[in-house]
Amino acid sequence: MAEKTKTKHNPFAWVKKHKKLTALLAVLLAVGIAIAGVRGKARQAGGTAYQYVRTTVLSKTTLSDSVSVNGTVKSGSSASVTAADAVKTYKVTAVNVAVGDTVRKGDIIATLDTADVEKQIANAELDSSDTRTSAEKSYTRSVEDQAADQASAQQELAKAQQEYDTLGLNDYYSTMTTDGNTGKTNREVVTDWYTRYAEEIAGYENTLANLQIQLTQARQSGETDRAEGLQGQIEDYQNRESIAKAQCSIPELGLQGFDAVKKCYESIQNYADALQKAQESYQKSATNAARNVDDAATKLAQSQREDDKLTSLQTALEECTLTATMDGTITALNATVGDVCSGTVATIQDVENLTVEVTIPASSVGKLSTGMTCRITSDATGDAVISGTLTRIDPVANDSGSFGATVTVNGQDSGLLIGISAKVEIVISEKDDVFTVPRDAVGTNEDGTTYVLRRTGGEGTDMTFEEVAVTEGDTNDYYVEITGDDLHEGDIIRATADLTQGIESSTDSAAQMMEDGSLYVGDGSDMPAGVTIAPAAGNDMGGGPGGGPGGPGGQ
């Protein structure tokens, strides 16, 4: 920071100690020489030139970061009253509302001619009654036939089951058998004995058949010894077969020998086959009967579809009365007595709960989210700022690369009108009671620390400044928050920390001089207190407080 008091030390030592301020003064001197040239040119041109340094007066304010977009006011909700397809050819017989009327859901908007649909209903009721009666009879008959067929098939099945069960073999065989098994039915015992010996005896029979063939061949070829040997083998296998057949006996069931057991077993199989056929016949009968019932049920359903037709006609009769589908105001009406309703009959809109449909540039959409506060203005509402909330952002960009969004207007008495244009400021963040300066007003030292230049004295372009250390805070596109122990309300801060910038010229006849030597440019009739007429050309004037960045004394 530059020293504020004079010193009696060697001037070269002072220069060495105040390198930054010396450099600042050198730059200001160069800028002053350049400005003098500009003044001369301005005077040569015949105008009164005013030179000033752009400054801003430090004061507590609100720093707001926002995105401004344009949009159109729309109803928060709307609905169309249309005639159903089934009644679009019917003529209007009455219209009960006019544009501007307020309606409630269910209120009658218009009525259509019902003569034709009433005639169709009468004919449909007659046809439906006859068709249903016939279908019901057919269905009842098929169900009765199904029951009769099932009963007959059940009897046949029961008979086959009884014959199978009454072979005299259904009792349990309680005597210990040779294999030690007990608790089997006689049928199971017969099956066990037969299957046990059938393979063995079949093996003997196959062997004997082969030996018999070999014996015949040996005799034909005169091989006496071989024939005698084969004969002996045949007799041996015949003896084994006889023994096996004799062993395959079930005396308890009166079955002596394999042949008797085999005959009983085959009888069991025959009755089992008969039982299986009876079961298959029963299933087939059940399937056929069920199919007949299904066919009858289909016809009955067809007759019921005739009832559906009647229901449709009755619905069409109800649709001849067109009613409001929501609470709201009639904003459009297209219904005339005697004409047909081919499109939208009426439009109902909620004129109290409004929205503004806006378009957000792709460069800004990433900074926004639903729920953000919005400020809405329009020509229709003058200077009034209306509160709103960002409630929707399209997830996909439109053809132009921007994003549609909805801002819901808070409250119902906003003064906004449907269809007008409105400007919306979407507030990203706001911070109250902070010092802010133009972003260019903050400079950066070589060591990375930041500062602003505060006026210490002088007038016009001869103003002097000192560095004041600051810390940057939140920012937006134009301003930045600054904090520092040495900042005070009313400090005059140079609008740009770049000493080669911020010197402006003006020949505005409305330029006035403030009491502190700063410049005011504006309507003389609206001159603030303490302002004096600007001096003649050639006098220096400083930048005054107030205004926006870029103007005289801009803030």
Side-chain angles (χ1 to χ4, degrees):
M1 182 182 298
E3 295 290 340
K4 298 182 181 179
T5 59
K6 294 182 180 180
T7 177
K8 296 181 180 180
H9 292 297
N10 186 300
F12 294 102
W14 186 92
V15 169
K16 184 177 180 180
K17 184 178 180 181
H18 300 83
K19 290 181 179 179
K20 288 185 178 180
L21 184 55
T22 302
L24 174 61
L25 293 174
V27 172
L28 287 174
L29 179 58
V31 171
I33 294 171
I35 291 173
V38 173
R39 287 177 181 160
K41 291 181 181 179
R43 284 194 292 269
Q44 291 171 7
T48 300
Y50 306 104
Q51 299 293 330
Y52 57 90
V53 178
R54 286 189 291 114
T55 60
T56 180
V57 176
L58 206 59
S59 62
K60 294 286 186 177
T61 184
T62 298
L63 179 65
S64 176
D65 188 12
S66 61
V67 173
S68 292
V69 292
N70 295 319
T72 303
V73 179
K74 302 218 171 172
S75 170
S77 60
S78 62
S80 297
V81 178
T82 59
D85 290 341
V87 298
K88 281 186 175 179
T89 59
Y90 299 162
K91 292 182 178 180
V92 178
T93 57
V95 178
N96 293 29
V97 296
V99 172
D101 286 353
T102 299
V103 295
R104 304 284 292 179
K105 183 177 180 179
D107 287 351
I108 297 176
I109 303 298
T111 54
L112 308 180
D113 187 357
T114 60
D116 183 60
V117 70
E118 288 174 347
K119 182 179 179 181
Q120 292 182 58
I121 289 174
N123 293 334
E125 285 176 339
L126 181 60
D127 293 342
S128 177
S129 177
D130 293 343
T131 302
R132 170 172 284 187
T133 299
S134 176
E136 287 175 346
K137 288 181 179 179
S138 177
Y139 179 76
T140 300
R141 185 167 52 252
S142 65
V143 172
E144 292 173 350
D145 291 346
Q146 180 189 37
D149 292 345
Q150 286 292 93
S152 176
Q154 182 66 46
Q155 290 178 356
E156 294 296 327
L157 178 59
K159 179 180 178 182
Q161 186 71 52
Q162 184 180 15
E163 289 176 348
Y164 176 74
D165 292 340
T166 56
L167 293 173
L169 299 174
N170 203 36
D171 296 331
Y172 280 95
Y173 182 58
S174 58
T175 305
M176 181 70 71
T177 60
T178 56
D179 59 1
N181 292 327
T182 61
K184 293 184 178 181
T185 64
N186 295 336
R187 184 181 295 105
E188 291 172 334
V189 171
V190 171
T191 300
D192 285 349
W193 278 85
Y194 173 77
T195 53
R196 182 188 306 173
Y197 284 95
E199 185 176 355
E200 179 182 356
I201 293 172
Y204 289 145
E205 290 178 348
N206 289 335
T207 301
L208 286 171
N210 289 331
L211 291 174
Q212 191 63 49
I213 292 173
Q214 295 178 40
L215 176 60
T216 300
Q217 292 174 344
R219 286 174 176 174
Q220 289 176 350
S221 61
E223 300 177 69
T224 304
D225 292 341
R226 181 169 176 269
E228 289 179 357
L230 291 169
Q231 184 63 48
Q233 292 181 41
I234 290 172
E235 291 174 357
D236 178 55
Y237 275 100
Q238 287 175 339
N239 183 48
R240 293 182 186 182
E241 181 182 14
S242 297
I243 292 173
K245 287 185 175 182
Q247 288 176 341
C248 185
S249 299
I250 310 175
E252 293 82 355
L253 300 179
L255 302 175
Q256 298 297 326
F258 177 75
D259 291 341
V261 173
K262 179 180 179 181
K263 183 176 180 181
C264 183
Y265 173 78
E266 291 175 345
S267 177
I268 291 172
Q269 291 302 112
N270 289 336
Y271 279 103
D273 292 343
L275 177 59
Q276 182 177 355
K277 290 180 179 179
Q279 290 172 337
E280 291 174 352
S281 177
Y282 176 79
Q283 292 296 332
K284 184 177 181 180
S285 174
T287 300
N288 291 337
R291 185 180 295 112
N292 292 336
V293 171
D294 288 343
D295 291 343
T298 300
K299 292 179 179 179
L300 180 59
Q302 290 174 346
S303 71
Q304 292 172 338
R305 278 197 290 273
E306 291 295 327
D307 283 348
D308 292 341
K309 178 181 178 181
L310 179 58
T311 300
S312 297
L313 289 170
Q314 290 169 337
T315 300
L317 180 61
E318 295 174 357
E319 290 171 342
C320 285
T321 301
L322 307 180
T323 60
T325 52
M326 62 172 278
D327 296 350
T329 301
I330 301 293
T331 57
L333 185 64
N334 183 26
T336 304
V337 174
D339 292 343
V340 297
C341 297
S342 58
T344 300
V345 175
T347 300
I348 305 172
Q349 291 184 304
D350 183 351
V351 298
E352 294 181 344
N353 298 298
L354 303 178
T355 64
V356 182
E357 300 300 318
V358 300
T359 301
I360 300 172
S363 58
S364 300
V365 73
K367 300 184 289 185
L368 305 180
S369 61
T370 56
M372 287 183 170
T373 298
C374 301
R375 301 187 186 101
I376 306 167
T377 56
S378 73
D379 292 339
T381 54
D383 295 333
V385 178
I386 300 159
S387 172
T389 304
L390 182 61
T391 53
R392 180 191 63 85
I393 302 175
D394 285 345
V396 180
N398 55 30
D399 293 341
S400 63
S402 55
F403 293 77
T406 298
V407 174
T408 299
V409 178
N410 298 334
Q412 295 183 337
D413 298 323
S414 63
L416 294 171
L417 302 174
I418 294 174
I420 68 171
S421 297
K423 184 175 181 179
V424 178
E425 180 187 6
I426 305 171
V427 180
I428 299 172
S429 64
E430 270 190 339
K431 201 168 187 180
D432 295 327
D433 198 30
V434 295
F435 287 137
T436 63
V437 293
R439 295 175 65 166
D440 290 343
V442 180
T444 304
N445 292 311
E446 293 179 358
D447 61 359
T449 58
T450 52
Y451 65 90
V452 295
L453 297 177
R454 177 170 58 194
R455 178 183 176 184
T456 58
E459 302 295 341
T461 56
D462 295 328
M463 283 184 183
T464 58
F465 299 86
E466 64 179 350
E467 287 188 10
V468 179
V470 297
T471 300
E472 291 184 291
D474 292 341
T475 184
N476 59 23
D477 291 340
Y478 303 102
Y479 295 96
V480 60
E481 173 194 1
I482 58 171
T483 56
D485 295 337
D486 199 22
L487 294 177
H488 307 287
E489 189 98 13
D491 285 348
I492 297 177
I493 306 298
R494 202 175 193 278
T496 172
D498 184 350
L499 296 177
T500 66
Q501 304 293 325
I503 306 295
E504 304 290 346
S505 299
S506 174
T507 58
D508 194 328
S509 60
Q512 312 293 333
M513 179 63 70
M514 302 290 285
E515 287 183 341
D516 64 355
S518 58
L519 187 70
Y520 168 78
V521 179
D523 185 354
S525 63
D526 193 30
M527 191 185 309
V531 175
T532 59
I533 300 299
N539 289 356
D540 293 334
M541 289 174 284
Q555 177 168 246

